[in-house]
Amino acid sequence: ENVLTQSPGTLSLSPGERATLSCRASQTISSSSLAWYQQKPGQAPRLLIYGASSRATGIPDRFSGSGSGTDFTLTIGSLEPEDFAVYYCQQYGRSPTFGQGTRLEIK
Amino acid sequence: QVQLVQSGAEVKKPGASVKVSCKASGYTFRRYGINWVRQAPGQGLEWMGWINPYNGYSSYAQQIQGRLTMTTDTSTSTAYMELSSLRSDDTAVYFCGRDANALTDVPQSVDYWGPGTLVTVSS
């Protein structure tokens, strides 16, 4: 199983600041099959990024993804109030797995 | 518009089985795989399995294989997830989600999600 470890567990920032979230895999992720999701309480996840760096339909350009191999990053350029949520990375393909999540909270 | 509508909440006793449905609309059902993901209360997301409605091929997470059966009914554009031998730690919200890419042979990222179905396992 490809274990994904997200850091930090909780990130406390203010609106307008830049957020950098990390996702590290225990095995190389082929074809950059790495996605990022945002989840708010009581809601289903929302796809932000797929293929490590491609924004999903309707996702603002303040969200960007980067990385390859085993190390991936989600960057939120300037935080809006609606961005405070839990973020998950997922590797997909033969045996998908999710990271444990990063909670982005208002400082 | 793409929509996934799931069946209602369930309460089951330990050892029983539960079957959750996911009815799709707004796209050609057979072209996109369906993933099942669950989330225990206050916990993270867990990928359970995937089924390809085009050919019926499915894959399951190793830790749940043997208790999980996924099926589809292409005549009604509905996917089903059945979990047997329920335990208290199966209490969770169960989500179905559509693959972001069509006609693939492995699970993809999920671009459309159902609202979730709460399954509570309690004696």
Side-chain angles (χ1 to χ4, degrees):
Chain A
E1 175 179 304
N2 198 345
V3 176
L4 302 184
T5 302
Q6 293 187 238
S7 60
T10 302
L11 185 58
S12 299
L13 293 170
S14 300
E17 291 192 292
R18 180 185 184 90
T20 302
L21 288 68
S22 174
C23 177
R24 176 163 289 177
S26 61
Q27 304 167 36
T28 297
I29 296 175
S30 61
S31 305
S32 295
S33 297
L34 191 285
W36 290 92
Y37 300 88
Q38 176 194 70
Q39 189 180 33
K40 296 181 180 179
Q43 297 183 15
R46 173 193 182 196
L47 178 65
L48 301 174
I49 301 287
Y50 64 93
S53 61
S54 297
R55 270 189 301 277
T57 302
I59 301 304
D61 60 7
R62 64 179 181 273
F63 291 91
S64 62
S66 62
S68 64
T70 61
D71 289 297
F72 298 86
T73 301
L74 174 70
T75 302
I76 310 173
S78 176
L79 286 166
E80 298 286 342
E82 63 267 27
D83 297 337
F84 292 91
V86 179
Y87 291 82
Y88 295 94
C89 58
Q90 180 208 23
Q91 63 88 18
Y92 51 93
R94 296 253 167 241
S95 299
T97 52
F98 285 94
Q100 84 280 16
T102 289
R103 179 177 304 277
L104 177 57
E105 64 177 26
I106 299 177
K107 188 173 182 180
Chain B
Q1 70 283 19
V2 175
Q3 278 193 308
L4 300 174
V5 177
Q6 297 186 226
S7 48
E10 302 264 12
V11 179
K12 296 291 183 180
K13 293 193 182 302
S17 297
V18 68
K19 192 170 186 177
V20 177
S21 67
C22 171
K23 183 172 175 60
S25 62
Y27 71 98
T28 303
F29 180 68
R30 295 184 69 187
R31 289 175 56 84
Y32 292 82
I34 294 287
N35 296 266
W36 289 91
V37 174
R38 70 179 178 179
Q39 186 169 39
Q43 302 301 308
L45 302 171
E46 178 186 10
W47 183 82
M48 301 174 65
W50 172 85
I51 186 164
N52 182 337
Y54 188 83
N55 57 19
Y57 178 76
S58 58
S59 65
Y60 301 90
Q62 194 166 9
Q63 64 269 25
I64 209 164
Q65 197 165 17
R67 296 198 297 132
L68 179 62
T69 303
M70 293 179 298
T71 56
T72 60
D73 181 346
T74 56
S75 68
T76 61
S77 299
T78 304
Y80 298 92
M81 183 282 299
E82 184 169 19
L83 188 60
S84 62
S85 303
L86 288 168
R87 312 184 293 241
S88 58
D89 62 358
D90 291 317
T91 294
V93 175
Y94 289 75
F95 295 101
C96 63
R98 192 193 82 160
D99 271 352
N101 297 314
L103 296 173
T104 64
D105 58 359
V106 293
Q108 301 294 300
S109 58
V110 176
D111 61 352
Y112 288 94
W113 295 78
T117 296
L118 175 61
V119 175
T120 302
V121 182
S122 174
S123 55

